[in-house]
Amino acid sequence: MNADQLKGKWMRFKGEFKQQYGKFTNDALRQIKGIDDTIIGKVQERYGDKKDALMKWEKQGQNSSTAETAHPNIP
């Protein structure tokens, strides 16, 4: 296990904690952020050496979903 994989385990743990805390406090945004962290952590555990590519992909996904929400294409 390399350092990135260990960091992935930690991120997954933090994500699961955020999800539970969000449920407890009824904070949907915190739950969503926890889900994101959990997914990133799981992938990083498996593919620890590809962390930079994963983070770039995740940022692109957030940017495209934000753009779609701000300017939906309605025919």
Side-chain angles (χ1 to χ4, degrees):
M1 178 179 298
N2 66 21
D4 283 331
Q5 290 170 324
L6 185 61
K7 289 177 186 176
K9 280 187 177 281
W10 176 245
M11 184 171 274
R12 184 171 53 98
F13 172 77
K14 287 191 322 185
E16 290 170 359
F17 180 79
K18 284 181 185 177
Q19 286 179 57
Q20 294 303 317
Y21 186 76
K23 285 180 186 177
F24 180 73
T25 60
N26 201 23
D27 184 353
L29 186 58
R30 188 172 308 269
Q31 282 182 278
I32 292 169
K33 288 180 181 179
I35 291 169
D36 285 347
D37 287 350
T38 302
I39 291 169
I40 291 170
K42 284 182 180 181
V43 172
Q44 188 175 354
E45 276 182 69
R46 179 169 249 167
Y47 306 105
D49 55 338
K50 303 200 186 296
K51 176 183 155 191
D52 294 331
L54 171 66
M55 296 308 255
K56 183 178 178 182
W57 173 80
E58 195 265 339
K59 287 264 190 209
Q60 287 174 347
Q62 284 181 352
N63 290 340
S64 67
S65 66
T66 304
E68 290 172 7
T69 305
H71 304 288
N73 293 330
I74 301 175

